[in-house]
Amino acid sequence: MAIHDAIIAVDFDGTVVTHEYPHVGRDAGAVPVLRELTDNGCRLILYTMRSGALLDKALAWFTEQDIPLYAVNENPEQRRWTQSPKVHADLYIDDSALGCPIRFIDGVKRPVADWTKIREQLVRDGFLD
């Protein structure tokens, strides 16, 4: 049985899409896994350094992929119990995080998150069936 109602903070560049900042890169394989997470009741927080028009492009990407976001760069629930600027989540997925599985894509200089391995870990840890 999957963990439902989990809050998952997910990075954008290099995690959800390939590194092509300031442009929006190609899907790094995240779309089906992110849809599966939201279909299972998980709430996604986009946790990114993008701001202004560049953030708008990232938000448009999620809309185009039909992936709902719970919040952006904040967890609205945590204001009830802390003023900390750190986004509270049950899980963080970020290509720069220690231990995040990464892979190289032909023609792309920097590695990206490996969503096949991330999905396997999400299943092992109970976030997906």
Side-chain angles (χ1 to χ4, degrees):
M1 177 132 189
I3 298 172
H4 298 285
D5 296 325
I7 297 173
I8 300 174
V10 62
D11 178 43
F12 190 65
D13 296 288
T15 300
V16 173
V17 297
T18 57
H19 286 284
E20 295 181 34
Y21 182 87
H23 305 289
V24 173
R26 301 184 317 256
D27 172 28
V31 170
V33 179
L34 294 176
R35 284 184 185 155
E36 190 175 3
L37 285 166
T38 58
D39 288 349
N40 281 346
C42 293
R43 293 172 285 170
L44 302 179
I45 295 175
L46 177 59
Y47 193 42
T48 180
M49 291 291 296
R50 285 178 176 251
S51 63
L54 297 177
L55 176 58
D56 291 341
K57 289 179 181 184
L59 295 174
W61 183 91
F62 278 91
T63 300
E64 291 164 8
Q65 305 309 317
D66 197 29
I67 299 170
L69 292 172
Y70 170 63
V72 179
N73 287 331
E74 69 173 352
N75 179 332
E77 293 180 7
Q78 79 186 49
R79 290 187 186 141
R80 293 180 302 189
W81 51 273
T82 183
Q83 294 301 310
S84 174
K86 180 180 178 183
V87 173
H88 168 75
D90 299 303
L91 181 70
Y92 301 83
I93 302 174
D94 189 324
D95 65 304
S96 294
L98 181 65
C100 182
I102 57 172
R103 67 187 175 97
F104 288 88
I105 298 174
D106 288 338
V108 178
K109 292 181 182 179
R110 291 181 61 187
V112 298
D114 185 332
W115 283 90
T116 299
K117 290 183 181 175
I118 289 171
R119 187 184 184 287
E120 291 170 0
Q121 186 172 341
L122 289 167
V123 170
R124 265 193 322 269
D125 292 348
F127 289 93
L128 292 176
D129 292 321

